[in-house]
Amino acid sequence: MRTFVWQGIDEPRMEIVRVESLARAHGTMVGVAYELRWELIGAELSVDVGEGARRIALAGADFFDLQHSAFFNSLPVLRDGLLTSTVPRDYTMRYVSVPDLTDVLTAQRYLPRGDGVVEFASGDYQADIEFDRDGFVREYRDYLRRVHP
């Protein structure tokens, strides 16, 4: 099992994630006014902000994208080898907003830039994400950075 910790750059926020595999991981996220616990088991994501767990199915999406969690940005990069590719990839994501835990399908694009950097785009939003050689987020520019390991 690997453990990662990320902190917010744009606002006070921390997340600790324990990764068993790309299909099995769990984490705790703490923001200014919420504490969220989540668990990914295959095609189901369980999320809880203290009001009881909500289970969300992937239901036709390629991956989950849990707001403020860097772990979920690693999933398409690792599965599809985006650190060794130059081909942009489009995905349909099951996006879960925090802390209200609503979920919607969103279109996202990952464009490999080389040297461990992938440009992320969704709607009008665009940002560079830097990954380590193992495919886990090191820094999501102006948004969050990894503090462990």
Side-chain angles (χ1 to χ4, degrees), residues 3-117:
T3 300
F4 297 93
V5 180
W6 288 276
Q7 72 178 29
I9 295 171
D10 62 331
E11 64 182 49
R13 181 178 58 250
M14 296 286 295
E15 180 182 36
I16 184 169
V17 175
R18 291 187 172 79
V19 180
E20 293 179 41
S21 71
L22 297 183
R24 190 167 185 90
H26 63 276
T28 300
M29 188 184 303
V30 178
V32 173
Y34 65 89
E35 178 181 341
L36 173 117
R37 295 184 188 277
W38 62 264
E39 182 175 26
L40 174 68
I41 300 175
E44 185 176 273
L45 178 66
S46 175
V47 289
D48 187 356
V49 289
E51 300 171 0
R54 177 167 186 253
R55 298 189 190 297
I56 303 168
L58 203 51
D62 297 304
F63 297 98
F64 289 104
D65 182 6
L66 179 62
Q67 185 179 16
H68 304 312
S69 179
F71 169 74
F72 292 90
N73 292 104
S74 293
L75 298 179
V77 168
L78 288 165
R79 186 192 77 182
D80 294 336
L82 297 182
L83 296 182
T84 59
S85 175
T86 58
V87 178
R89 296 289 301 258
D90 294 313
Y91 299 98
T92 299
M93 306 297 246
R94 173 75 52 198
Y95 177 81
V96 181
S97 63
V98 173
D100 66 350
L101 307 182
T102 58
D103 68 282
V104 296
L105 290 176
T106 62
Q108 297 182 0
R109 172 169 271 218
Y110 283 67
L111 174 61
R113 295 284 191 202
D115 295 323
V117 176

